[in-house]
Amino acid sequence: FLRRKSLLQYLRQAVVHDFQGFIAYFQPVQDIHRGEPYGAEALLRFQCSDFGMVSPSEFIPLLEESGLIIPVGRWILARAMEFCKKMQETIPHFKISVNVSYIQVMKSDLIRDISALLDEYQLSADSVQIELTESGFFESDQNYIRFCASLRTLHIPLALDDFGTGYSNFHYLYHINPQVIKIDRSFTLKALNNDYEFTLLRHMTQLTHSINSKMCIEGIETAEELKKICELNPDYIQGYYFSKP
């Protein structure tokens, strides 16, 4: 309790003082067919004097509970688009992926924020991919469906993150029509070590392709893992094998 209370105070102070302590990391996403970077995923990190580098699994729920995720979410969106603009000077088709919280979807005008930042950094709408996790759908699917419809109208790509680790309700695929489905490292590990899970992941990849979406498999760390996962014919690979964030 005391740690959470102290950490929340650090988070509030960071937001007040121009987001000092927050850091934007970027992890490459590899196009497996072209053999080159497709883009990168923006990852939010936080550090402070008392606790050092704090795990996202600890500080992000505090940001969501307190509502601080709304200003911090705008900050990471801006840093991501700034990075994307710089990268496009070298790789013109480079895309950036940004996770957004269900709190941002429900309690802020996130579409307006995204549109304003696209204009500010002079990026095309398809340069930025918004990632949503399954976990937010359970209580607020109508909010998500409206948000996803707005993204489609603006031609902003959408990815469904951590698929297979939450409720995995397939009707979400119909309602939100994601351009990319991402498989979390935890599911990838199961598939690499279990024939049943590997077969299940193969079918998930085939399903993804059948609805004209792309499959991104996260958490690949070794050449052996890459070779086995490539048997599934995914579109994108993300993991330490190519680069740490």
Side-chain angles (χ1 to χ4, degrees):
F1 171 80
L2 293 175
R3 178 182 170 89
R4 282 170 56 87
K5 183 178 178 181
S6 180
L7 181 54
L8 181 57
Q9 184 62 25
Y10 272 107
L11 293 168
R12 292 188 190 280
Q13 289 299 312
V15 171
V16 170
H17 293 97
D18 199 28
F19 302 96
Q20 291 181 14
F22 288 104
I23 312 165
Y25 277 57
F26 301 94
Q27 185 174 35
V29 179
Q30 189 83 351
D31 186 319
I32 205 65
H33 300 300
R34 292 184 178 182
E36 62 184 23
Y38 162 80
E41 180 182 356
L43 300 169
L44 182 64
R45 299 290 184 261
F46 181 73
Q47 61 182 11
C48 61
S49 57
D50 277 0
F51 303 120
M53 188 69 79
V54 183
S55 169
S57 64
E58 183 176 14
F59 75 80
I60 287 179
L62 286 175
L63 291 177
E64 291 178 332
E65 292 167 18
S66 63
L68 291 172
I69 193 65
I70 293 174
V72 174
R74 291 192 194 104
W75 180 85
I76 190 67
L77 269 169
R79 300 292 70 76
M81 293 196 197
E82 180 182 39
F83 177 79
C84 185
K85 186 67 175 178
K86 290 179 181 177
M87 289 300 298
Q88 287 185 352
E89 295 173 5
T90 305
I91 308 174
H93 63 269
F94 191 88
K95 301 181 188 302
I96 195 73
S97 294
V98 187
N99 285 277
V100 299
S101 164
Y102 72 99
I103 298 294
Q104 292 172 270
V105 174
M106 295 177 66
K107 297 187 177 181
S108 71
D109 193 342
L110 185 54
I111 291 294
R112 183 188 64 187
D113 292 340
I114 295 169
S115 298
L117 288 166
L118 285 170
D119 289 341
E120 180 179 345
Y121 290 100
Q122 298 181 314
L123 290 169
S124 61
D126 65 353
S127 296
V128 178
Q129 179 173 275
I130 299 301
E131 294 193 12
L132 298 172
T133 60
E134 283 187 275
S135 57
F137 290 123
F138 189 64
E139 297 293 342
S140 56
D141 54 299
Q142 288 303 316
N143 293 284
Y144 271 78
I145 291 167
R146 284 191 292 270
F147 175 70
C148 295
S150 297
L151 291 178
R152 284 196 297 273
T153 299
L154 295 172
H155 305 290
I156 297 171
L158 171 67
L160 183 56
D161 196 17
D162 296 347
F163 193 77
T165 60
Y167 302 101
S168 298
N169 197 326
F170 285 95
H171 86 266
Y172 295 140
L173 301 183
Y174 171 79
H175 283 299
I176 71 173
N177 189 27
Q179 279 72 34
V180 178
I181 292 174
K182 302 188 74 175
I183 302 297
D184 182 73
R185 166 72 177 170
S186 62
F187 194 97
T188 302
L189 277 176
K190 292 178 184 176
L192 288 168
N193 294 289
N194 182 284
D195 288 343
Y196 176 82
E197 301 285 354
F198 189 78
T199 300
L200 185 58
L201 184 53
R202 185 190 301 278
H203 290 314
M204 291 169 66
T205 305
Q206 292 169 346
L207 170 66
T208 299
H209 290 156
S210 74
I211 60 173
N212 297 317
S213 294
K214 304 290 188 181
M215 174 67 83
C216 178
I217 297 182
E218 299 179 301
I220 301 303
E221 298 185 354
T222 68
E224 291 76 16
E225 291 179 352
L226 178 64
K227 182 179 180 180
K228 186 168 183 178
I229 287 298
C230 281
E231 295 176 19
L232 305 176
N233 192 34
D235 303 280
Y236 310 123
I237 296 287
Q238 188 173 338
Y240 282 14
Y241 177 76
F242 295 105
S243 176
K244 292 183 178 181

